[in-house]
Amino acid sequence: MGSLGAVLRHPDDLYPLLKLKMASRQAEKQIPPEPHWAFCYSMLHKVSRSFALVIQQLGTDLRNAVCIFYLVLRALDTVEDDTSIPTDVKVPILIAFHRHVYDREWHFSCGTKEYKVLMDQFHHVSTAFLELGKGYQDAIEDITKRMGAGMAKFICKEVESIYDYDEYCYYVAGLVGLGLSKLFYASGTEDLAPDSLSNSMGLFLQKTNIIRDYLEDINEIPKCRMFWPREIWSKYVNKLEDLKYVENSDKAVQCLNDMVTNALMHVEDCLKYMSALRDHAIFRFCAIPQIMAIGTLALCYNNIEVFRGVVKMRRGLTAKVIDRTNNMTDVYLAFYDFSNILKPKINKNDPNATKTLSRVEAIQKACMDSGVLNKRKSYIIQSELRYSSTMIVIFFIILAIIFSYLSSTRAKDHHHL
């Protein structure tokens, strides 16, 4: 539920954390009875709990389509990510993957942990895919085909220029944005969004992940994975892996700031995309990951810890984002607040300081121009309060009651089984 220390420092995280925990348990209970759908939704919970939670609010047909779309692309990604697969084996699988989804017998053993289970039992995903409406199937097949071809291209090609970087991100994430827009349109609930905006939605999330996951990717065994473009990192070091060494800390942070500045260019497109959505469940589905991305960039900016370990938002703040994101007012407030966290970190001596400041101010202007910023208090930027020993005792009593309740509920669930 989040570390005890974090909850003690932020007691108002407790209620959203509890709501998230209970919603997660409720979502797990709603897994369909049919074996292939049960596998798909169980697998979704294993590979991405937060994603599984957010899609629960979508209408049944759209939810099933998005679930299968996600698992198909996860499987495709598992093939791409497995550095132990020889290139001459990997490339044909990536290129033909869009055809495998129609084959109930196809599977390919690769990946680790839950991803290996997904690949070994991929026939469940294919069976579920074949039950989707034709409009959903066509959209998933089209995006899978284009993404597989793009991944195959970059298996044999380094990310050299910023153009390459944008192209790679388009193949692995921009196409996800285009595909989701097609699924929303096929459901009859949304207009078809412009490709450029759908692409930006994907690129903003993907670039955030690439920045945050530097250390994990560079330490990948048996072969490191390099997605930061040479055009950016070569301004600071001779080799991309040099950024992780302590002696290069100053250059590493400057390179990191350059990467974050590049990612921020997509924010205004993302705000436009979200502001056009009409369906509440689709809106939340799209908006929550975008807010998480701007929050993660605000934490990563000017932070050497990106090269030492994992930098991510605390669980309680994530729970608040999930709980409190309901309309564009919430989105504008969150983007404004997180850009306010990033802004004071900009060092005037940083090589990209002027460009970063310009991008942050453009985001803040877009949020201010919405005219909603004075309507609500921030839950993201708060003064650190000092809590008395009495409050801490009360907190522990509440925590004990909650755990007693959850334990008794779990015991009842087992009894019913």
Side-chain angles (χ1 to χ4, degrees):
M1 262 199 352
S3 80
L4 189 57
V7 176
L8 281 173
R9 286 192 299 276
H10 306 274
D12 56 330
D13 285 359
L14 183 60
Y15 179 61
L17 277 166
L18 284 170
K19 280 184 76 174
L20 183 61
K21 179 75 173 173
M22 293 170 88
S24 181
R25 292 188 68 195
Q26 189 61 34
E28 285 171 13
K29 287 179 185 175
Q30 291 174 340
I31 289 173
E34 301 89 348
H36 51 291
W37 284 110
F39 174 84
C40 291
Y41 277 98
S42 298
M43 189 53 58
L44 191 64
H45 282 283
K46 286 173 185 167
V47 298
S48 179
R49 280 181 172 274
S50 56
F51 186 85
L53 192 65
V54 177
I55 76 161
Q56 286 300 323
Q57 296 169 40
L58 299 173
T60 306
D61 289 349
L62 179 58
R63 181 173 70 237
N64 287 343
V66 172
C67 172
I68 298 308
F69 184 48
Y70 185 86
L71 291 178
V72 167
L73 298 189
R74 269 298 200 189
L76 187 64
D77 195 47
T78 301
V79 175
E80 187 215 17
D81 281 353
D82 193 330
T83 51
S84 68
I85 305 171
T87 299
D88 61 336
V89 175
K90 183 182 288 190
V91 169
I93 294 171
L94 294 173
I95 290 170
F97 210 91
H98 66 287
R99 292 198 295 273
H100 297 320
V101 295
Y102 287 95
D103 182 356
R104 293 175 197 264
E105 304 300 318
W106 187 86
H107 62 89
F108 180 77
S109 188
C110 65
T112 58
K113 301 177 183 174
E114 58 269 21
Y115 299 104
K116 186 176 189 314
V117 177
L118 172 63
M119 297 306 298
D120 287 342
Q121 300 189 46
F122 192 76
H123 62 279
H124 287 306
V125 180
S126 300
T127 301
F129 169 81
L130 291 168
E131 292 180 5
L132 298 176
K134 181 79 165 58
Y136 292 135
Q137 287 183 357
D138 289 347
I140 292 170
E141 180 190 1
D142 174 53
I143 297 302
T144 306
K145 181 180 182 180
R146 291 157 71 184
M147 187 180 291
M151 285 177 168
K153 178 178 179 178
F154 276 91
I155 294 294
C156 313
K157 175 183 165 129
E158 292 287 329
V159 179
E160 297 282 345
S161 64
I162 291 171
Y163 177 85
D164 291 339
Y165 182 46
D166 284 342
E167 186 183 20
Y168 172 75
C169 290
Y170 163 75
Y171 283 129
V172 300
L175 283 171
V176 179
L178 268 68
L180 286 170
S181 293
K182 286 186 173 195
L183 295 180
F184 301 155
Y185 179 67
S187 75
T189 50
E190 300 289 351
D191 295 330
L192 187 58
D195 284 358
S196 60
L197 299 187
S198 300
N199 184 47
S200 285
M201 289 284 282
L203 262 62
F204 186 56
L205 299 184
Q206 183 65 20
K207 288 183 176 183
T208 299
N209 290 342
I210 285 173
I211 291 165
R212 183 199 62 200
D213 295 342
Y214 165 84
L215 195 62
E216 181 186 333
D217 289 338
I218 209 74
N219 289 336
E220 182 78 28
I221 294 171
K223 184 185 172 191
C224 70
R225 300 162 68 222
M226 296 190 283
F227 302 116
W228 290 32
R230 181 186 295 271
E231 186 178 337
I232 289 179
W233 61 255
S234 63
K235 291 186 277 183
Y236 307 96
V237 285
N238 293 323
K239 291 185 289 185
L240 182 56
E241 58 264 36
D242 291 347
L243 294 172
K244 69 181 179 179
Y245 301 124
V246 175
E247 61 268 25
N248 297 322
S249 293
D250 290 346
K251 291 292 184 184
V253 167
Q254 289 176 359
C255 184
L256 168 65
N257 294 346
D258 203 340
M259 290 288 290
V260 171
T261 303
N262 173 277
L264 292 174
M265 69 189 286
H266 303 291
V267 169
E268 288 160 272
D269 274 357
C270 294
L271 293 173
K272 279 182 199 167
Y273 181 100
M274 290 183 281
S275 67
L277 296 171
R278 296 191 298 259
D279 182 88
H280 181 250
I282 290 175
F283 172 79
R284 275 177 51 78
F285 172 78
C286 294
I288 289 168
Q290 297 292 327
I291 293 174
M292 297 290 294
I294 189 70
T296 300
L297 289 181
L299 284 177
C300 288
Y301 184 82
N302 215 46
N303 187 351
I304 191 62
E305 289 306 309
V306 170
F307 303 97
R308 307 286 178 263
V310 180
V311 175
K312 60 181 181 179
M313 283 167 55
R314 71 177 192 274
R315 186 78 172 144
L317 186 50
T318 298
K320 281 182 182 172
V321 170
I322 293 171
D323 183 43
R324 301 183 190 184
T325 303
N326 288 296
N327 52 50
M328 274 308 292
T329 297
D330 302 324
V331 169
Y332 286 127
L333 282 165
F335 270 79
Y336 187 83
D337 286 346
F338 278 124
S339 58
N340 254 343
I341 289 172
L342 193 157
K343 195 173 181 179
K345 293 181 176 185
I346 301 171
N347 182 332
K348 67 178 189 306
N349 296 318
D350 185 271
N352 293 282
T354 305
K355 190 191 291 186
T356 311
L357 187 60
S358 170
R359 291 210 170 139
V360 168
E361 287 177 344
I363 293 166
Q364 293 191 318
K365 183 179 185 303
C367 295
M368 286 188 286
D369 287 349
S370 70
V372 300
L373 292 190
N374 58 351
K375 291 187 178 178
R376 204 165 303 161
K377 230 168 51 164
S378 170
Y379 65 86
I380 292 165
I381 300 177
Q382 294 172 321
S383 57
E384 291 292 325
L385 301 174
R386 294 184 179 274
Y387 295 96
S388 67
S389 56
T390 308
M391 279 190 72
I392 292 171
V393 169
I394 291 168
F395 168 77
F396 275 111
I397 291 169
I398 293 169
L399 203 61
I401 293 167
I402 290 156
F403 276 111
S404 298
Y405 167 76
L406 290 173
S407 300
S408 64
T409 308
R410 193 176 292 115
K412 283 177 189 172
D413 289 344
H414 285 303
H415 177 70
H416 289 310
L417 293 172

